[in-house]
Amino acid sequence: MATTISLSPFILIMMIVAVICGWRVVNWLWLRPKRLERLLREQGLKGNPYRVLVGDLKDILKIQKEARSKPMNLSDDIVPRVFSYVQQSVNKYGNNSFMWFGPTPRVTLTDPDLIKDVFNKIYDFPKPNANPLVKLLANGLASHEGEKWNKHRRIINPAFNLEKLKIMLPIFFKSCNDLISKWEGMLSLDGSCEMDAWPFLQNLASDVISRTAFGSSYEEGRRIFELQKEQAELTMKVIMKVYIPGWRFIPTTINRRMKEIHRDIKALLEDMIKRREKAIKEGEAAKNDLLGILLESNYKEIQEQGSSKNVGMNLEDVIEECKLFYFAGQETTSVLLVWTMVLLSRYPNWQARARDEVFQVFGNNKPDFEGLSHLKIVTMILYEVLRLYPPVLGLSRTVHKDMKLGNLTLPAGVQVSLPIVLVHHDCELWGDDAKEFNPERFSEGVLKATNGRVSFFPFGWGPRICIGQNFSLLEAKMALSLILLHFSFELSPAYAHAPATVVTLQPQYGAHIILRKVQI
């Protein structure tokens, strides 16, 4: 007698769901990566065979750990230490190569023409969807795409035009002058002292962004900076792991701490923003700091476009842009200044040339906008520092649909890597002295130095170039000018050369220098 097996609708549905989920997992972990690998290899692209889930990440982490275990020789050829795996991949497989970041292949692009295409086609090559935990660091303008990016850029732009930057110049001077006074107070009777300049330069950049963004000083914003610094370190740990959908909901130690930091920063900023919004609604004039200009621009946008859901920025948007002000504004300038001081300590002839120029332009007068704009040697030095020690080592973009790029046809699902530091150190693009400090190469400007090619892009390039570029360079010129007017400096015997990435390129063991008072 035959037995009839009856399945309840619920069990049937669960079985179907399980089959679908299983198929998606197999597709994500194996079928899709292997299909993409085949399509890339058919075009002559080379790379390691795909390894389930981890790809090349284990090897990348191993090499990074080895590189960070000890300082390097005193040299500007930093790629083997900070970008070793990418360099090894390119050396092994050639410029047309790819790497595996988990189950996603990432094609390395070193040809300036291809890099230019990627930067220009912002809708065809958007930024990859970041791990939701990574977004906790700062999810503002730099992360947005499409219409949201357009809207935010339009609203934020007024805060970074040159006229607004001129207004902020006295704030730059005040923060930099406070640093000079602090250092003068540390000098011994012979007019010298040995110190780690790195924390001082971090505090300087923090103070500048606090005052210019929110009208407060570093001391008042200290808690936010401490939290952002910890968040950045946790973010690096998250970036170097395979992103597993839903993992952020698992209450691991890192996950819990990152969410806790996010809540604390959000509460501090929300209180600050609401006070400002209330003042504006009560008729007070908007302050000429970044937050004031942003809120005024946002208020104007809403009045002109109407108050529908998608017009202007909401409170959450403003909070995320403030976090980006805090993080990007502090990080970019502090690392630019610290590597500039390290390099000028090693090349005293360039330090002397820069000091002579600053004395010639300003003498005993306070640095002003016009004078800072005419500092040719200082500008050449800053560009060369950005070439050798770019704040961010590389950028990535994603491919959502099959795209033609030069002779390549990139299938949907791959990413492209734009290795800033690798391109900046390329001897074929920069000459035999590419790995050496030579500001003279920028004597006739960036266009001449690059022969019009996209081989220098420390702030990105194209429509999405960093909105704070002029802000950062102006602040760096002000700080460097005042430091050169008051001090000479050289590397301390305690200095250990160890560039390392904590989101941005930082000195792993600090920047120990000997400071001496300049005798006028």
Side-chain angles (χ1 to χ4, degrees):
M1 185 176 175
T3 304
T4 304
I5 298 174
S6 174
L7 295 177
S8 72
F10 175 76
I11 293 176
L12 192 60
I13 290 170
M14 292 302 294
M15 288 175 66
I16 293 170
V17 168
V19 169
I20 292 172
C21 289
W23 166 256
R24 286 182 175 175
V25 170
V26 171
N27 187 53
W28 175 59
L29 284 178
W30 183 254
L31 299 178
R32 182 170 168 270
K34 292 303 289 182
R35 181 180 64 83
L36 293 175
E37 181 179 5
R38 176 177 55 79
L39 291 172
L40 293 176
R41 292 192 189 282
E42 284 174 356
Q43 298 179 72
L45 290 165
K46 298 177 182 178
N48 289 332
Y50 172 61
R51 285 169 284 183
V52 178
L53 187 62
V54 295
D56 292 329
L57 278 175
K58 275 189 177 179
D59 293 342
I60 294 171
L61 288 171
K62 182 183 176 184
I63 289 174
Q64 278 190 349
K65 187 177 180 180
E66 288 173 2
R68 289 178 67 114
S69 64
K70 59 184 182 297
M72 62 177 282
N73 294 331
L74 198 55
S75 156
D76 299 316
D77 184 13
I78 66 169
V79 175
R81 186 177 205 271
V82 301
F83 224 49
S84 50
Y85 194 82
V86 181
Q87 184 187 48
Q88 288 178 23
S89 176
V90 170
N91 288 344
K92 183 177 180 180
Y93 294 116
N95 287 336
N96 291 330
S97 61
F98 61 89
M99 295 165 51
W100 291 97
F101 280 73
T104 303
R106 188 176 288 179
V107 178
T108 303
L109 301 179
T110 57
D111 183 332
D113 294 332
L114 299 184
I115 292 170
K116 180 180 180 179
D117 267 2
V118 172
F119 275 132
N120 273 332
K121 297 174 180 176
I122 60 173
Y123 299 110
D124 292 329
F125 295 97
K127 294 191 174 186
N129 290 326
N131 181 327
L133 287 170
V134 173
K135 290 183 178 181
L136 294 179
L137 179 63
N139 189 29
L141 181 68
S143 307
H144 299 322
E145 295 293 340
E147 180 50 39
K148 187 166 187 178
W149 174 79
N150 269 320
K151 178 177 69 176
H152 280 230
R153 183 93 180 195
R154 185 171 63 247
I155 292 170
I156 295 169
N157 254 332
F160 289 94
N161 69 41
L162 282 181
E163 292 308 311
K164 294 297 183 185
L165 292 182
K166 287 179 185 178
I167 293 170
M168 292 176 190
L169 208 58
I171 301 174
F172 290 179
F173 177 79
K174 172 75 171 69
S175 295
C176 295
N177 204 43
D178 287 350
L179 173 69
I180 300 300
S181 299
K182 199 174 291 182
W183 282 359
E184 285 180 332
M186 294 169 59
L187 298 176
S188 59
L189 292 175
D190 68 352
S192 71
C193 77
E194 189 170 334
M195 58 179 284
D196 180 3
W198 174 228
F200 288 98
L201 295 172
Q202 286 179 295
N203 289 353
L204 165 66
S206 300
D207 190 58
V208 168
I209 201 67
S210 279
R211 294 177 194 268
T212 54
F214 310 107
S216 61
S217 71
Y218 171 72
E219 295 300 328
E220 293 169 297
R222 181 186 292 273
R223 182 61 185 150
I224 292 177
F225 285 113
E226 288 172 348
L227 291 168
Q228 285 282 70
K229 184 178 179 182
E230 184 183 352
Q231 194 79 304
E233 291 168 355
L234 294 173
T235 298
M236 282 307 297
K237 293 180 180 179
V238 169
I239 287 172
M240 295 315 299
K241 293 179 181 177
V242 176
Y243 171 54
I244 300 173
W247 183 257
R248 70 185 189 275
F249 298 114
I250 306 299
T252 64
T253 302
I254 289 179
N255 290 5
R256 287 201 310 270
R257 182 58 187 150
M258 290 187 77
K259 290 173 184 177
E260 186 181 331
I261 292 171
H262 172 68
R263 287 193 298 269
D264 289 348
I265 293 175
K266 181 179 177 181
L268 291 166
L269 290 172
E270 188 173 331
D271 182 56
M272 193 185 302
I273 293 163
K274 283 183 174 177
R275 288 202 307 269
R276 286 292 191 90
E277 287 180 329
K278 183 182 177 185
I280 291 173
K281 286 174 183 175
E282 290 175 354
E284 286 186 28
K287 294 182 181 178
N288 264 322
D289 53 27
L290 295 176
L291 178 59
I293 299 165
L294 185 153
L295 290 175
E296 185 180 38
S297 178
N298 190 41
Y299 186 64
K300 184 178 178 183
E301 171 101 353
I302 292 169
Q303 282 190 317
E304 290 177 354
Q305 303 290 330
S307 55
S308 65
K309 185 180 177 182
N310 294 321
V311 170
M313 294 187 198
N314 58 32
L315 178 62
E316 191 73 31
D317 290 336
V318 176
I319 287 171
E320 291 303 324
E321 295 302 346
C322 287
K323 283 167 65 178
L324 191 59
F325 283 166
Y326 258 119
F327 181 74
Q330 190 269 347
E331 288 282 316
T332 306
T333 312
S334 60
V335 296
L336 172 55
L337 283 171
V338 77
W339 293 120
T340 301
M341 288 197 73
V342 167
L343 283 161
L344 291 184
S345 293
R346 291 170 50 207
Y347 297 91
N349 58 321
W350 279 103
Q351 184 182 150
R353 286 181 66 180
R355 183 175 294 105
D356 289 344
E357 179 183 55
V358 173
F359 267 114
Q360 187 178 347
V361 173
F362 298 120
N364 293 320
N365 298 321
K366 183 189 297 187
D368 57 14
F369 184 83
E370 186 177 354
L372 292 171
S373 302
H374 285 88
L375 292 175
K376 181 181 177 182
I377 291 172
V378 167
T379 302
M380 287 160 52
I381 288 168
L382 291 175
Y383 283 158
E384 182 69 343
V385 174
L386 287 167
R387 186 184 72 82
L388 289 170
Y389 296 80
V392 177
L393 298 181
L395 301 170
S396 58
R397 296 291 186 264
T398 195
V399 181
H400 285 319
K401 60 182 180 181
D402 292 357
M403 284 297 303
K404 187 79 175 167
L405 187 68
N407 295 324
L408 299 173
T409 300
L410 299 173
V414 307
Q415 293 181 358
V416 293
S417 170
L418 312 176
I420 299 172
V421 71
L422 210 60
V423 175
H424 282 194
H425 285 243
D426 190 334
C427 291
E428 289 185 17
L429 296 171
W430 293 95
D432 294 339
D433 66 346
K435 303 179 196 312
E436 299 168 15
F437 180 70
N438 178 19
E440 204 67 57
R441 72 178 85 245
F442 288 103
S443 61
E444 295 180 63
V446 172
L447 197 65
K448 184 78 171 176
T450 59
N451 293 317
R453 306 185 78 188
V454 183
S455 53
F456 179 69
F457 47 102
F459 294 98
W461 199 87
R464 291 200 67 145
I465 193 167
C466 175
I467 198 169
Q469 178 181 204
N470 291 332
F471 180 101
S472 183
L473 286 172
L474 194 61
E475 180 189 343
K477 287 180 185 179
M478 173 67 82
L480 188 57
S481 294
L482 288 172
I483 291 169
L484 289 167
L485 285 169
H486 290 85
F487 306 103
S488 64
F489 41 93
E490 62 189 72
L491 289 183
S492 157
Y495 176 74
H497 195 48
T501 303
V502 184
V503 181
T504 52
L505 187 64
Q506 303 178 7
Q508 186 175 341
Y509 305 114
H512 296 270
I513 62 169
I514 297 171
L515 205 63
R516 289 190 172 86
K517 181 70 177 171
V518 169
Q519 302 301 322
I520 301 174

